[in-house]
Amino acid sequence: MSEDRLARIEKIVESNAKSIQALSDAVAQDRKEREKERKEWAQDRRRVFEWMARLAAAQADFYEVQADYVRHIETIEDRLTEIRDRLDP
C-alpha cells in the first residue's frame, strides 16, 4: 500500500511540475506578446504624431495662402475703387 501511495504521489508531483512548466511557458509567451504589442503601439503613436504634425503644417500653409489671396483681392478692390474715383469725380 505504501508503494502504491508513493507512486500516486510521484504522479501528482510530475503532473504538478508539468502544469507549472506549462503555466510558466504561457506567462513567458504572454510577456513576449505584450512587449511586441507595446513596440507596435509605440510605432503607431509615433506615426500618428508625425501625421498630425504634417497636417498642422499643411493647415498653416493653407491659411497663409488664403490670407495672401484675401490681401490680393483687397488690393485689387482698392485699385478698382481708385480707378472709379478718377473716372467719376
Side-chain angles (χ1 to χ4, degrees), residues 16-32 34:
N16 286 346
K18 288 178 183 177
S19 296
I20 290 170
Q21 185 61 46
L23 288 172
S24 296
D25 292 345
V27 167
Q29 183 63 31
D30 284 347
R31 284 182 182 159
K32 286 179 185 178
R34 274 198 314 268

